[in-house]
Amino acid sequence: MKASNCLRRDFVLRNYETDFCQQIKPSTVLGFFQETAGDHSEEMGLGYRKLGEQGLFWVLSKIYVEVERRPKYAEKVSVVTWPHEPNKAIYERSFLLEDAEGVAMRAYSRWCILQAGSGRICPCSRLEQPEIDFIGEKSVAFDAWGIPSVPRENGPAFSLRIANSEYDLNYHVNNIKYADYVFNCFTVKELESRRLKSFQLHYVKQTHEGDLLEMFREEVSPGVFAIEGVKNGEETVVSARVCLV
């Protein structure tokens, strides 16, 4: 039986899913995307339970989000997602976030499936792929994945010691948590005075309970900020780029 080639899910924004301006938080956006993609993966036969039986699990590798506007508390939004035809090991997926006015955000992401324990990438050829009519058109044209490294001389803009509340079901920091860490590198005044135009995250390594995560920030061009998350003073675990106008 063929799986549908796209999926729509509706959400109503609750107070804790918005920020101090009552606008949807970037971490909430990623959470809505993750939930909708998970539901579609189940329909496609590549969901959490089926992969878990084979000792496998999904991870988000990279995501870029382009922001037209940010819906506010109590507004109804819809997420639409569709996958693109995978290559040897990478699964690409597009997203739209819609509100009453139309498309509010567009996102393009890359995912892979890892082997539990070893953390190795599972090639697509190892899995039975879904019967689906893939959509070639992407939600947004984007290929500028490179993010510069950030100097550490001035110290971190934000830091925390990882504890259990940051964890997901795979026993490491949940992907969406990193969006909060990235935006904690900015002050309330900075975020109140500017509009978020886009943001992207690259997930490099996992962080675990007890790790010290330090987030370093640099403005690489007017309104464009590179952010790098380093654990225990050594390994880069996440990098990001945020554009404010």
Side-chain angles (χ1 to χ4, degrees):
M1 179 178 176
K2 271 190 177 182
S4 60
N5 58 7
C6 66
L7 186 70
R8 176 184 293 269
R9 286 286 181 265
D10 296 330
F11 303 88
V12 176
L13 282 173
R14 292 164 287 194
N15 189 53
Y16 61 84
E17 295 170 331
T18 61
D19 64 9
F20 43 82
C21 295
Q22 290 201 307
Q23 298 180 117
I24 188 170
K25 295 193 294 186
S27 58
T28 299
V29 173
L30 298 186
F32 288 174
F33 288 167
Q34 185 170 285
E35 183 175 338
T36 309
D39 288 348
H40 198 203
S41 294
E42 290 285 350
E43 184 181 316
M44 292 165 60
L46 290 172
Y48 167 74
R49 289 182 179 82
K50 185 168 182 180
L51 291 183
E53 292 170 357
Q54 303 172 68
L56 303 170
F57 63 95
W58 281 107
V59 293
L60 176 59
S61 172
K62 300 177 180 181
I63 188 164
Y64 168 76
V65 183
E66 197 167 87
V67 181
E68 178 67 28
R69 61 186 168 276
R70 293 169 67 183
K72 294 191 173 184
Y73 166 63
E75 291 185 8
K76 180 181 177 181
V77 299
S78 297
V79 170
V80 183
T81 185
W82 62 96
H84 305 291
E85 190 167 1
N87 62 20
K88 293 181 179 179
I90 302 299
Y91 296 81
E92 297 177 328
R93 180 174 282 273
S94 284
F95 296 92
L96 298 176
L97 180 78
E98 300 176 342
D99 60 12
E101 297 180 46
V103 176
M105 300 186 190
R106 303 174 184 272
Y108 172 59
S109 61
R110 289 179 173 176
W111 304 69
C112 57
I113 295 174
L114 298 186
Q115 301 173 28
S118 70
R120 293 177 180 172
I121 295 176
C122 176
C124 299
S125 58
R126 255 198 61 188
L127 297 170
E128 181 181 352
Q129 296 301 312
E131 186 180 354
I132 185 173
D133 294 325
F134 288 105
I135 299 173
E137 183 180 359
K138 297 174 182 176
S139 59
V140 59
F142 181 78
D143 61 5
W145 291 112
I147 297 176
S149 60
V150 179
R152 305 179 190 178
E153 290 81 4
N154 296 326
F158 173 74
S159 63
L160 79 161
R161 181 76 64 177
I162 302 300
N164 69 83
S165 62
E166 312 302 313
Y167 265 24
D168 63 13
L169 46 77
N170 293 313
Y171 283 80
H172 56 71
V173 173
N174 192 303
N175 287 336
I176 68 175
K177 293 279 190 176
Y178 289 102
D180 286 332
Y181 307 158
V182 165
F183 284 90
N184 281 347
C185 293
F186 299 90
T187 66
V188 170
K189 184 177 180 180
E190 286 177 307
L191 296 176
E192 281 182 326
S193 62
R194 297 186 177 190
R195 182 181 72 83
L196 177 61
K197 182 180 180 182
S198 66
F199 66 95
Q200 67 186 95
L201 286 94
H202 297 187
Y203 301 97
V204 182
K205 290 183 179 292
Q206 299 170 359
T207 43
H208 300 90
E209 184 179 23
D211 287 339
L212 174 63
L213 180 62
E214 296 176 301
M215 307 292 293
F216 298 87
R217 161 190 148 171
E218 182 180 42
E219 189 169 11
V220 294
S221 61
V224 179
F225 299 84
I227 295 165
E228 188 172 359
V230 178
K231 76 172 180 180
N232 302 326
E234 298 178 355
E235 294 182 296
T236 297
V237 298
V238 64
S239 57
R241 177 162 34 212
V242 174
C243 182
L244 301 172
V245 294

